DNA sequence: CGTCTTTGACCAGCGC
DNA sequence: GCGCTGGTCAAAGACG
C-alpha cells in the first residue's frame, strides 16, 4: 500500500511537471507566434507601402514625360510668378511658414497651389469650394499651441508602426519647426457631432467670422493628458455639412474603429505626405496617392500648400462613383473588408473618425516638418452619425438651445 | 457628488 | 497702442 501510494504520488508529480513544462512551452510558442504575426503584419505593410511608392513613381514619370512636352508653357506661367511659389514653399520649409501664414496671403496661396496641383498632376481636382471652407476653418491661431514632446512623437510612430521614409534627421529637424497636423473631415450629418469612438469634452464655443454657425471646441478625454482636440462646425453654405477638424496625436490606443483603419491608412498616409515634403514632384505624388486612397470618390484628391500647418481634408460628402474601386492592394487588405465594397466602408460612420484619427497620428508623428501641405481626400458618405453629447449653441443661430444667449465674444 | 456643458472672461497674434 | 479674431480657461449650472 505504501509503495503504491508513493508510486502514484510520484506519477502525479511527474505528470504535473510534464504539464508545467508543456504549458511553458505553449506559452513560448504563443509568444513566438505573436511575434511572427507582428513581423508578418509589418512586412505586409511595408510591401503595400512600397507598392504605393512604385505606383506613384510610375505616375510621376508619366507626368514628367508629359511635362517635358509642355515645358515651354510651364516656364511661361512661372515667369508670370504664378506657379513657381509652391515648390519653393515645399523646399524652404521654415520660410514657408512665414510666407503663407497670415490671412491675407492665405487665399492667394490656395489659388496658386491649386493651379499648381492641377497643372502638374493633370486634372487632379477642382476643389476650390472645399478649400474655401477649409480656409474658413483653418486660418486660426492653432499653431501657437504647444508642440508635442519628442517622446510623444516617437510613441505615436511606434503606436502606428508606420514605415517612415523621412530619415531620423527629418524628425529631429522637425522638432524645431513642428506644427500641429490637422485632419479635417467633411460629412453630411444632422447630428451636432459625428460619433468617432473617442470621448470628447467640450471646452468652448465661438462664433467664427464668416460663418453664422458657431464652432465648438472639444478635447479628447479618453486618456488623461491626451492632447488631441477637435473643432466642429457646420458649413456656412450648406448647413447639412459638418466639418470636424482633428488635431494632435492620441497618447493612448485608438478605439477599435480607429485602429481598424490605422493599418490601412498608415502606409497610404505616410506615402501621401512623404511624397509631398520637398518638391513639386512630391506634391504630385501626394495628389496621386490621395486620389488613389479612396478611389470610389467622384472628385479626386488635392494637395495644397495653403495652410500654415499640414492639413488633410477628407470630404465625405460627395455622391458615390463606384466605377473604379480597388485600384490598390492596400485597399484589398482593408481589415474585414475582403467581401465588402469600399462605398460601404466609407459609409460607415466610424470610418470618418477612424481615418481622421489614424492620419492625424501618423502624419503628426512621422512627418511633422511639412508646414504647408493640404491634402484633401474625397469620398462618399451619407452616414447617420450620432451625437455623443448635446452640443448647444450660444451663438445667435438655429441650433438646439432656445435659451441661448446669442452672445459670443 | 462627480462629470459634463455653458458661457463670459481672458489671452495671444495680427493688422492698422 | 488699439481693436479684431480665434482659441482656451474656468466658474457656474445642469444632469444622472
Ligand atoms: Zn485621445
Amino acid at each position: 500500500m505504501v509503495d503504491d501510494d508513493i508510486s502514484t504520488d510520484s506519477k502525479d508529480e511527474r505528470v504535473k511537471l510534464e504539464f508545467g513544462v508543456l504549458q511553458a512551452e505553449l506559452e513560448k510558442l504563443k509568444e513566438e507566434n505573436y511575434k511572427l504575426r507582428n513581423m508578418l503584419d509589418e512586412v505586409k505593410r511595408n510591401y503595400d507601402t512600397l507598392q504605393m511608392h512604385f505606383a506613384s513613381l510610375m505616375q510621376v514619370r508619366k507626368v514628367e514625360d508629359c511635362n517635358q512636352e509642355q515645358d515651354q508653357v510651364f516656364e511661361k506661367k512661372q515667369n508670370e510668378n504664378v506657379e513657381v511659389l509652391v515648390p519653393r514653399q515645399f523646399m524652404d520649409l521654415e520660410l514657408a511658414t512665414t510666407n503663407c501664414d497670415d490671412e491675407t496671403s492665405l487665399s492667394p496661396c490656395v489659388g496658386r497651389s491649386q493651379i499648381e496641383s492641377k497643372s502638374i498632376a493633370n486634372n487632379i481636382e477642382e476643389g476650390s469650394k472645399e478649400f474655401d471652407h477649409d480656409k474658413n476653418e483653418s486660418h486660426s491661431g492653432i499653431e501657437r499651441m504647444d508642440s508635442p514632446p519628442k517622446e510623444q512623437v516617437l510613441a505615436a510612430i511606434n503606436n502606428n508602426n508606420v514605415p517612415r521614409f523621412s530619415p531620423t534627421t527629418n524628425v529631429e529637424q522637425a522638432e524645431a519647426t513642428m506644427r500641429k497636423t490637422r485632419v479635417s473631415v467633411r460629412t453630411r450629418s444632422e447630428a451636432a457631432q459625428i460619433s468617432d469612438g473617442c470621448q470628447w469634452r467640450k471646452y468652448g464655443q465661438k462664433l467664427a467670422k464668416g460663418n453664422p454657425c458657431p464652432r465648438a471646441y472639444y478635447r479628447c478625454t479618453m486618456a488623461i493628458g491626451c492632447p488631441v482636440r477637435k473643432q466642429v462646425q457646420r458649413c456656412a453654405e450648406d448647413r447639412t455639412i459638418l466639418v470636424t477638424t482633428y488635431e494632435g496625436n492620441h497618447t493612448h490606443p485608438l478605439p477599435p474603429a480607429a485602429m481598424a483603419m490605422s493599418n490601412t491608412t498608415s502606409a497610404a498616409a505616410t506615402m501621401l505626405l512623404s511624397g509631398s515634403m520637398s518638391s513639386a514632384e512630391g506634391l504630385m505624388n501626394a495628389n496621386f496617392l490621395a486620389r488613389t486612397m479612396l478611389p470610389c470618390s467622384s472628385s479626386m484628391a488635392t494637395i495644397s500648400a495653403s495652410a500654415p500647418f499640414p492639413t488633410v481634408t477628407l470630404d465625405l460628402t460627395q455622391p458615390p462613383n463606384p466605377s473604379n474601386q480597388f485600384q490598390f492592394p492596400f485597399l484589398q487588405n482593408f481589415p474585414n473588408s475582403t467581401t465588402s465594397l469600399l462605398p460601404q466602408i466609407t459609409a460607415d460612420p466610424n470610418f470618418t473618425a477612424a481615418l481622421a484619427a489614424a492620419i492625424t497620428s501618423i502624419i503628426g508623428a512621422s512627418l511633422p516638418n511639412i508646414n504647408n501641405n493640404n491634402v484633401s481626400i474625397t469620398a462618399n458618405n451619407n452616414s447617420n452619425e450620432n451625437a455623443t453629447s448635446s452640443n448647444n449653441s450660444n451663438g445667435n443661430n438655429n441650433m438646439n438651445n432656445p435659451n441661448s444667449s446669442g452672445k459670443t465674444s
Side-chain angles (χ1 to χ4, degrees), chain A residues 152-206:
Chain A
Q152 198 178 310
V153 170
L154 295 176
I157 292 169
N158 291 336
N159 274 347
N160 289 287
N161 279 329
V162 178
R164 281 178 299 151
F165 290 95
S166 50
T168 328
T169 50
N170 275 351
V171 175
E172 283 163 11
Q173 177 196 352
E175 283 169 36
T177 58
M178 179 77 176
R179 297 266 177 149
K180 289 270 177 169
T181 304
R182 308 176 79 188
V183 174
S184 189
V185 180
R186 294 160 50 78
T187 47
R188 277 186 201 286
S189 171
E190 297 302 319
Q193 199 186 157
I194 56 173
S195 77
D196 47 23
C198 282
Q199 281 183 310
W200 301 97
R201 182 190 185 122
K202 191 174 181 179
Y203 66 89
Q205 179 165 298
K206 277 292 208 186

Side-chain angles (χ1 to χ4, degrees), chain A residues 198-200 219-223 226-228 249-254:
Chain A
C198 282
Q199 281 183 310
W200 301 97
R219 150 185 310 145
C220 177
T221 58
M222 282 203 79
C226 180
V228 174
N249 309 313
H250 289 282
T251 55
H252 52 87
L254 294 170

Side-chain angles (χ1 to χ4, degrees), chain A residues 318-348:
Chain A
Q318 301 300 312
N321 172 18
S323 59
N324 51 349
Q325 294 161 11
F326 291 153
Q327 292 179 350
F328 281 85
F330 79 93
L331 282 170
Q332 289 168 342
N333 291 337
F334 188 90
N336 305 322
S337 72
T338 44
T339 56
S340 60
L341 296 174
L342 199 60
Q344 289 166 346
I345 295 162
T346 54
D348 182 346

Side-chain angles (χ1 to χ4, degrees), chain A residues 40-107:
Chain A
L40 184 65
D41 282 349
E42 192 152 355
V43 167
K44 209 168 167 186
R45 269 197 298 274
N46 287 344
Y47 167 77
D48 290 345
T49 309
L50 280 172
Q51 193 146 9
M52 295 276 298
H53 195 47
F54 176 69
S56 70
L57 286 175
M58 293 301 285
Q59 176 79 2
V60 167
R61 179 172 286 183
K62 223 179 186 177
V63 173
E64 263 174 7
D65 289 342
C66 216
N67 281 349
Q68 275 173 3
E69 292 171 12
Q70 301 173 347
D71 239 355
Q72 287 178 335
V73 183
F74 247 107
E75 273 174 26
K76 196 182 169 190
K77 284 182 183 175
Q78 283 181 347
N79 289 337
E80 288 167 12
N81 198 18
V82 175
E83 308 283 348
V84 73
L85 287 176
V86 170
R88 193 184 299 150
Q89 278 174 3
F90 280 95
M91 280 185 274
D92 301 334
L93 292 171
E94 280 161 276
L95 289 175
T97 61
T98 55
N99 279 348
C100 226
D101 63 0
D102 60 317
E103 263 180 77
T104 49
S105 66
L106 193 59
S107 311

